[in-house]
Amino acid sequence: MTCRISVLGVGYLGATHAACMAELGHEVMGVDTDPAKLSKLAAGEVPFYEPELSEILQKNISAGRLTFTSSYDDAAAFADVHFIAVGTPQKTGELAADLTYVDSVIDNLVPRLRKPTTIFGKSTVPVGTAERLGIKARELAEHGHIPEVAWNPEFLREGYAVKDTLQPDRLVVGVDKNTPGRAIEVAKRVYSQLIKDGVPFVETDLATAELVKTSANAFLATKISFINAMAEICEVSGADVTELADAIGYDTRIGRRFLNAGIGFGGGCLPKDIRAFMARAGELGVDQALTFLREVDNINMRRRTGTVDKVRTLLGGSLVGAKIAVLGAAFKPESDDVRDSPALNIAGQAQLQGATVTVYDPKAMENSRRIYPTLIYASSVEKACEQADAIMVLTEWREFNELEPSKISKLVRKKIIVDGRNCLDAENWIDHGWYYYGPGRSLSGPIDA
Ligand code: NAD
């Protein structure tokens, strides 16, 4: 059955959700405060890089199922179901999440509602937020139509956002058990196709739904930092972390995924989400429960400084005057998102230590330039590598995995390659006379390369 849906906030999450809900046959209105983003989306142009998204965006705009607006009046009049998809960034100078945008959606939307509605939060929020917003909504409702606030956390991965929205591992919907309403029934209507396809539908209370998201992120961050800690041990003991990960990954209790040692996690979610989680635990008086996440964060940040230290050592103890090619700027491949990107952080640190750093990324050049305007940007791998004293592969784009060492050899001043994601064929580079460094691996090659 078709629903009339508004998606409030059409960034990475919201634009994908809006297009995918239209793809499921619903009538959807995307709402944002950023006029530039809205006009691009309305013209069928995705304002960021996300595979498969522009096709379904254009298709559903043409079919008349998907529109965009800055008007909360229009959204309130149009939709019966609202999804909150605004950002929840880290507060400046604090670990906690900034909930200003989420609150502002409730403040702007609720007084305009003139019919029974359900508001589903999708943004990642600290536990307790949904209940507070529900109380606020009841206070702000002006026309006798108190909206029900439920939480439907989002687990999509950038780079796979469309697939993850249309074929998610699970749907989680949390409702206020004290004031039972229709949210579960509404969610089942919105996601009826997915439920028919066999996607598990998990019904919880509000707090559990919020915690499902933050604890999933905490677990994934811990897994990454665990293998990166093992990489540190491997490096000093001569072991190989990729073989170790393969071997422990065969144990189905452990699993191989998210066990790739490298320069660590970044992006617009994991780092700020684990910090907000720690801050919230502190507010709830159980900070000790999440003290381990501080170490997870420390291990992760150490990968960035450690990688710069490594390249400095390889270049004789100083980066002053060194020419470094950085391949990759996005926080992960198949995305142009550079929010808290380890790659750009490392590039920036190397530059601050005196290196001339030239960056190339297949999709994230524009975003990188905006936040790191002082780095040099090259239009191709080859241009970035010209006369380089060291190459650092910091995002595992396929284009980089497939580089031919023999071709790159002709461009550089020194044959030193730092494989920050352990994504290259190490033996191949070493066979071509390169000094190879991958975090946690004992491989090397000639140091006078
Ligand atoms: P984003 O910054 O790309 O998008 C947020 C959008 O909200 C922006 O376009 C902004 O202009 C808009 N906005 C701000 N205030 C608004 C308001 N009052 N009304 C309407 N629009 C408003 O952020 P994102 O990456 O899409 O993340 C959004 C939320 O989803 C965050 O809580 C994030 O943690 C969570 N999340 C993101 C992902 C992801 O992969 N990006 C995955 C799962 C969960």
Side-chain angles (χ1 to χ4, degrees):
M1 206 203 297
T2 303
C3 302
R4 293 187 126 203
I5 291 173
S6 95
V7 179
L8 303 140
V10 283
Y12 284 90
L13 162 62
T16 308
H17 190 68
C20 288
M21 292 305 101
E23 181 70 10
L24 291 175
H26 302 303
E27 291 176 57
V28 182
M29 185 178 275
V31 185
D32 208 287
T33 49
D34 178 343
K37 199 172 274 187
L38 285 170
S39 57
K40 277 195 175 171
L41 284 164
E45 203 187 314
V46 180
F48 48 88
Y49 177 70
E50 182 59 49
E52 296 178 43
L53 185 54
S54 66
E55 291 84 339
I56 63 161
L57 179 77
Q58 285 160 14
K59 179 180 146 196
N60 285 288
I61 290 173
S62 303
R65 282 193 295 268
L66 180 57
T67 56
F68 292 93
T69 183
S70 60
S71 165
Y72 270 76
D73 283 329
D74 290 354
F78 172 79
D80 311 305
V81 182
H82 301 273
F83 283 98
I84 304 175
V86 294
T88 48
Q90 188 174 342
K91 273 186 191 168
T92 310
E94 287 180 47
L95 294 186
D98 180 354
L99 298 174
T100 319
Y101 307 103
V102 172
D103 273 279
S104 132
V105 169
I106 297 291
D107 293 340
N108 282 305
L109 180 67
V110 175
R112 291 177 159 85
L113 297 173
R114 303 278 188 283
K115 53 182 171 176
T117 46
T118 310
I119 302 176
F120 290 101
K122 285 202 91 60
S123 303
T124 304
V125 292
V127 59
T129 306
E131 186 185 6
R132 180 178 67 73
L133 294 178
I135 294 167
K136 188 180 213 187
R138 287 196 277 282
E139 288 166 4
L140 289 173
E142 280 183 6
H143 302 275
H145 291 299
I146 297 173
E148 186 178 359
V149 175
W151 221 257
N152 170 217
E154 179 56 58
F155 304 95
L156 68 79
R157 299 161 299 166
E158 287 174 26
Y160 303 89
V162 171
K163 182 186 163 292
D164 286 349
T165 307
L166 293 174
Q167 297 154 263
D169 292 337
R170 76 297 212 190
L171 291 159
V172 176
V173 179
V175 294
D176 187 343
K177 302 273 184 186
N178 299 319
T179 54
R182 297 170 49 245
I184 291 294
E185 179 196 325
V186 174
K188 286 187 173 166
R189 208 176 335 129
V190 170
Y191 295 120
S192 62
Q193 184 58 50
L194 275 50
I195 294 167
K196 247 185 249 160
D197 293 343
V199 175
F201 185 94
V202 184
E203 187 186 327
T204 70
D205 54 50
L206 290 173
T208 306
E210 294 165 317
L211 277 173
V212 170
K213 174 63 188 176
T214 42
S215 60
N217 274 359
F219 186 85
L220 294 172
T222 303
K223 207 170 172 190
I224 297 169
S225 279
F226 171 81
I227 200 65
N228 282 332
M230 294 306 107
E232 292 184 15
I233 307 285
C234 286
E235 277 189 28
V236 292
S237 57
D240 187 302
V241 76
T242 57
E243 289 171 11
L244 179 138
D246 289 343
I248 63 172
Y250 281 118
D251 185 332
T252 49
R253 293 170 304 174
I254 297 173
R256 180 63 176 84
R257 294 179 72 194
F258 270 66
L259 279 187
N260 293 322
I263 58 172
F265 57 81
C269 291
L270 282 195
K272 61 115 177 143
D273 287 348
I274 61 166
R275 290 170 194 161
F277 200 12
M278 283 187 268
R280 186 63 184 140
E283 286 167 8
L284 294 170
V286 287
D287 48 339
Q288 278 185 346
L290 297 185
T291 309
F292 75 96
L293 284 181
R294 187 168 285 279
E295 202 44 43
V296 166
D297 205 352
N298 281 334
I299 293 167
N300 192 53
M301 298 316 277
R302 198 156 69 225
R303 296 314 305 161
R304 303 179 185 189
T305 46
T307 306
V308 180
D309 293 348
K310 183 72 190 180
V311 74
R312 192 180 56 241
T313 305
L314 292 174
L315 290 173
S318 170
L319 289 177
V320 176
K323 196 168 178 306
I324 295 181
V326 166
L327 303 184
F331 87 100
K332 62 185 280 189
E334 300 303 326
S335 173
D336 65 352
D337 195 346
V338 295
R339 288 177 288 182
D340 200 0
S341 165
L344 275 185
N345 181 305
I346 288 168
Q349 285 189 52
Q351 188 198 37
L352 287 174
Q353 293 187 25
T356 301
V357 181
T358 309
V359 179
Y360 168 74
D361 186 283
K363 297 288 177 195
M365 300 290 269
E366 212 179 298
N367 286 343
S368 305
R369 243 188 225 113
R370 211 171 300 134
I371 61 165
Y372 275 93
T374 57
L375 295 169
I376 300 165
Y377 293 92
S379 55
S380 67
V381 169
E382 289 73 21
K383 289 213 168 87
C385 293
E386 266 168 26
Q387 296 298 308
D389 295 303
I391 297 174
M392 303 176 88
V393 176
L394 301 182
T395 312
E396 63 274 44
W397 286 99
R398 189 181 306 159
E399 177 180 349
F400 305 152
N401 306 353
E402 292 168 356
L403 285 176
E404 262 303 322
S406 56
K407 287 191 190 144
I408 305 296
S409 297
K410 297 186 187 115
L411 304 169
V412 297
R413 206 146 59 186
K414 285 190 185 144
K415 295 203 283 185
I416 295 176
I417 187 135
V418 173
D419 179 7
R421 296 291 184 179
N422 279 322
C423 61
L424 303 177
D425 180 349
E427 307 289 351
N428 191 23
W429 287 85
I430 293 168
D431 287 349
H432 283 86
W434 285 70
Y435 179 86
Y436 171 94
Y437 166 73
R441 306 190 70 187
S442 53
L443 300 157
S444 56
I447 187 53
D448 58 341

